[in-house]
Amino acid sequence: MILHCVFMRLKSAMTPDDKQALFDAIVALKQVIPGILDIKYGPNVSPEGLHGGFVDGFAVTFESPEARDTYLVHPEHVTVGERIVSSTDGGLAGLLVFDLVI
């Protein structure tokens, strides 16, 4: 299995409703892309203060590396990915992606 973690520095102008709509779009990918086992999202709640400005994020659990690779090029993911990038401070610089084998 792969745990695909995405941490974001979202634009300060985003309202709570904007954030929820973005996360809803991410969660909806589970219904259209095979191999997604779970999607969790939310704000960073670590008390350490080491977030580096990445205060929102989500994690997608895939059944295999191949499922993750299918997701990366899937048209629905590409569309949601573009929406994520346009919602972050600095575009791609506002994202941190980290995949783990679990």
Side-chain angles (χ1 to χ4, degrees):
M1 286 192 295
I2 296 290
L3 183 62
H4 176 71
C5 306
V6 180
F7 307 110
M8 305 176 290
R9 283 190 284 233
L10 294 174
K11 293 177 179 176
S12 59
M14 286 192 76
T15 68
D17 287 344
D18 293 336
K19 283 186 187 184
Q20 189 58 55
L22 181 61
F23 287 124
D24 289 347
I26 294 164
V27 169
L29 294 174
K30 184 176 180 202
Q31 304 307 314
V32 295
I33 302 176
I36 296 175
L37 300 176
D38 192 29
I39 301 176
K40 301 284 189 213
Y41 65 89
N44 180 350
V45 296
S46 172
E48 295 179 287
L50 301 174
H51 54 73
F54 294 94
V55 297
D56 292 286
F58 64 95
V60 182
T61 305
F62 293 98
E63 64 186 22
S64 66
E66 295 79 17
R68 184 260 333 262
D69 295 348
T70 297
Y71 159 89
L72 292 176
V73 296
H74 192 283
E76 293 291 326
H77 169 258
V78 171
T79 298
V80 173
E82 290 170 354
R83 186 171 166 190
I84 292 168
V85 170
S86 70
S87 298
T88 63
D89 258 341
L92 289 175
L95 290 172
L96 175 65
V97 178
F98 196 97
D99 288 0
L100 300 167
V101 175
I102 57 172

